Amino acid sequence: ANQAVFLKRFKRRNYKTMDAIWNALDDPDSSKAGRRFAQIMPAFILFAVMFSLLQSLQPPPIDDVVAAVVDTFIDFVFLCEIVVRFVTCPNRWTFFLSAYNIIDLAA
């Protein structure tokens, strides 16, 4: 009986936490974390684009090993974002119907 009560409480908190994370990612005005995320991600996307463009110069201004590490880190950040969005999404079917998520998955 105690285990069932614990699991019920855990699930309830877990959903609240997942809803809070989803709201922070989806609505910048929902929390401080949401506002912070909305400020940081565009700058990070700009950094990723500029880094890719810099590496297209001949000769590349950044060493190949360093560029590979930075590029892997950028991909990892974007992967984490899409995974967290999917896990915390209230309705996973609508997740796949969103044009933004389809673009993120294709990228």
Side-chain angles (χ1 to χ4, degrees), residues 5-107:
V5 171
F6 172 77
L7 289 175
K8 197 180 252 189
R9 285 183 183 168
F10 178 75
K11 283 186 176 181
R12 198 173 303 140
R13 281 189 199 136
N14 191 19
Y15 287 131
K16 286 180 183 179
T17 302
M18 289 173 64
D19 287 344
I21 293 170
W22 173 258
N23 287 333
L25 294 175
D26 200 47
D27 180 15
D29 296 326
S30 67
S31 65
K32 277 186 176 181
R35 284 187 291 279
R36 186 73 53 157
F37 182 78
Q39 292 169 343
I40 291 173
M41 271 320 269
F44 187 77
I45 292 168
L46 182 62
F47 167 75
V49 170
M50 294 302 292
F51 185 79
S52 295
L53 290 174
L54 273 175
Q55 285 306 102
S56 68
L57 297 174
Q58 292 300 327
I62 300 172
D63 181 56
D64 289 341
V65 174
V66 174
V69 169
V70 172
D71 196 36
T72 301
F73 174 75
I74 290 169
D75 290 343
F76 177 74
V77 169
F78 289 135
L79 175 68
C80 287
E81 180 197 7
I82 197 77
V83 167
V84 169
R85 282 184 181 276
F86 177 74
V87 169
T88 61
C89 183
N91 185 339
R92 296 211 173 107
W93 182 247
T94 58
F95 178 86
F96 289 109
L97 296 178
S98 168
Y100 293 113
N101 293 330
I102 292 170
I103 291 168
D104 283 346
L105 287 170

